Amino acid sequence: MKQFLLTFALAASAGLCQAAAATYAIDPSHTFVTYEITHFGTSTNRGRFDKKEGSVQFDRAAKTGRVEISFEIASASTGFAPMDKHLLAEDLLAAEKFPTAQFVGDKFVFDGDKVSEVQGQLTLRGKTNPVTLKANHFNCYDNPMLKREVCGGDFEATIDRTQWGVDYGLAWGFPKNVKLIIQVEAVKQ
C-alpha cells in the first residue's frame, strides 16, 4: 500500500509540474517595441514599431520559458513622417526587402521567482545575432477585467546596429549603439 501511495504521489506531482507550464499570448495594446539613439550627442531620437505579435511559454516553477515577438518594420513610427519614410529605406531598415524583425528568447534567467533577463536571438535585415534583454520590471497578476493571469515587464538591451548591417550615419558621428526597449504583457491562454 505504501508503495502504491508513493507511486501515486510521484505521478501526481509530475503532473502538477507539467501543468505549471503555460502559454501566454502577447497583448498588443500593452506591448511595444521601441528604440532610442542619440543625435549628435545632443537629443535622443526615439521610435517604435506599432504592429507586433507573439507568444510566451512560461514555467515559473521550472524557471524556464520561451518568447517570440515579431514586429513589422513598415509600422515604424517616430512622430515625424519624413523620418518614418527614411527608416524604411534600404540604407536603414530595408522594409521592402526585410518586412519583419523578430526576437526569440529561449533562456530565462531568474532572480528568485522574478525573470531578470531573457537571452535569445534578434533577426533584423535578414541577419540573426544574440541579444540579452535585461528586465527592469517583471510581474504576474490576475487581470480583473480578463479574469486571467497576465505576466510581463519592461526589458531592454543596447545593441550594436552594425551587426545587422545598419551603418547609416556612422561617418557623420551617429553612434552605432541603439537602446532597444521591449515593454510586454502577455495573457495566459
Side-chain angles (χ1 to χ4, degrees):
M1 182 66 166
K2 282 185 176 180
Q3 184 63 28
F4 171 77
L5 290 175
L6 179 61
T7 303
F8 179 78
L10 288 173
S13 67
L16 289 175
C17 288
Q18 288 177 342
T23 298
Y24 298 75
I26 297 295
D27 176 358
S29 66
H30 290 94
T31 299
F32 298 96
V33 178
T34 61
Y35 72 88
E36 296 179 352
I37 185 170
T38 60
H39 187 251
F40 291 107
T42 57
S43 62
T44 302
N45 286 340
R46 292 179 175 87
R48 75 179 196 193
F49 299 92
D50 289 331
K51 293 184 181 174
K52 61 277 176 189
E53 62 183 20
S55 65
V56 178
Q57 285 81 44
F58 182 56
D59 187 335
R60 192 180 334 212
K63 297 191 175 186
T64 61
R66 179 177 175 84
V67 60
E68 294 184 21
I69 299 177
S70 298
F71 48 99
E72 289 183 30
I73 298 299
S75 72
S77 175
T78 64
F80 184 59
M83 175 81 76
D84 296 348
K85 184 177 178 183
H86 187 207
L87 277 173
L88 306 182
E90 182 66 30
D91 60 350
L92 282 171
L93 298 178
E96 190 171 306
K97 193 183 289 184
F98 305 106
T100 306
Q102 183 180 45
F103 176 77
V104 177
D106 56 3
K107 182 167 180 4
F108 283 34
V109 177
F110 284 74
D111 181 7
D113 67 344
K114 302 275 187 182
V115 175
S116 61
E117 67 181 40
V118 177
Q119 300 169 5
Q121 305 285 321
L122 175 64
T123 302
L124 179 67
R125 288 182 51 105
K127 296 180 181 176
T128 303
N129 289 295
V131 169
T132 297
L133 296 172
K134 302 281 185 191
N136 292 329
H137 303 283
F138 179 82
N139 192 42
C140 294
Y141 68 98
D142 290 323
N143 185 298
M145 292 177 283
L146 299 175
K147 307 290 188 225
R148 288 192 267 172
E149 182 182 48
V150 174
C151 292
D154 293 333
F155 296 83
E156 68 178 53
T158 298
I159 61 171
D160 175 351
R161 63 189 173 100
T162 64
Q163 290 183 292
W164 290 271
V166 184
D167 301 329
Y168 178 81
L170 290 175
W172 302 328
F174 289 143
K176 65 181 183 175
N177 288 336
V178 176
K179 183 190 263 186
L180 180 65
I181 304 157
I182 300 179
Q183 167 195 335
V184 62
E185 288 193 25
V187 181
K188 189 173 184 178
Q189 300 302 291

